[in-house]
Amino acid sequence: MDASLVLLKSNGTHKSFDLPSSVTVIGRRHDCDLRIPLPTVSRRHCELTQNGDTLEIIDLDSKGGTFVNGARIDGQTTIKAGDAIKIGPLTFVCRIDGKPEKISAPPKKAPKPKKPAPPKTEDEILEDSFADLDASDSFIQLEDSDSDLEDLKDL
């Protein structure tokens, strides 16, 4: 089996990394087979294993996780040609025996729907119900004169 990981760069280009042996450790440590010197990548992030005609990946308890086709993996996962592997901020496409021939970025996930607004409190509901009330002409102005006060007593 001839397997490689193709890094998808942000400018649209890509770079291929051949898997050097039957077991390839990816991480930021100097002794990793494929070194990614970024703080969001764990020292020993994940491991790819070639077993005959299958390729498997396992997360090595990394802090940020390892993702295959957008899903965080838990345990050993079989990789197929064309699968997208996300390690830290980097996305790789798995190429096995020259397939896929053309490498393209995986489809982006649809944005998450916005969360509904929290329910309004009683005060907010009351405030909204009086928002369009125009009480500017209904204000009673009281003066200090006794005649106005006398008129109010009759009401």
Side-chain angles (χ1 to χ4, degrees):
M1 172 191 307
D2 180 32
S4 62
L5 295 180
V6 181
L7 173 65
L8 302 174
K9 296 182 180 181
S10 58
N11 64 5
T13 62
H14 31 75
K15 182 175 181 178
S16 183
F17 297 92
D18 291 331
L19 300 182
S21 63
S22 62
V23 176
T24 302
V25 177
I26 300 173
R28 73 169 195 262
R29 277 183 27 177
H30 290 284
D31 61 344
C32 288
D33 301 305
L34 181 55
R35 185 169 178 266
I36 304 172
L38 297 173
T40 55
V41 175
S42 293
R43 289 177 184 92
R44 290 176 44 88
H45 199 96
C46 62
E47 180 180 279
L48 289 159
T49 305
Q50 297 179 46
N51 291 323
D53 60 347
T54 63
L55 182 62
E56 295 175 332
I57 188 168
I58 188 166
D59 185 79
L60 299 175
D61 295 323
S62 66
K63 187 174 183 179
T66 302
F67 296 81
V68 175
N69 298 327
R72 188 174 186 146
I73 63 169
D74 183 29
Q76 201 159 13
T77 303
T78 300
I79 301 293
K80 299 180 301 294
D83 282 350
I85 301 170
K86 187 166 176 45
I87 301 168
L90 304 179
T91 300
F92 298 89
V93 172
C94 180
R95 180 178 274 164
I96 299 173
D97 296 327
K99 294 183 180 165
E101 291 178 21
K102 184 178 179 188
I103 300 292
S104 58
K108 295 197 181 231
K109 286 185 174 180
K112 291 183 180 179
K114 291 183 180 180
K115 291 182 180 178
K120 291 185 175 186
T121 64
E122 286 183 39
D123 289 340
E124 291 172 326
I125 293 170
L126 253 168
E127 190 176 303
D128 286 349
S129 66
F130 291 113
D132 60 346
L133 181 64
D134 181 14
S136 60
D137 293 335
S138 63
F139 184 72
I140 301 173
Q141 293 185 0
L142 298 177
E143 294 180 14
D144 289 333
S145 72
D146 289 338
S147 62
D148 289 337
L149 291 174
E150 288 298 319
D151 291 338
L152 289 175
K153 286 181 185 177
D154 294 336
L155 295 177

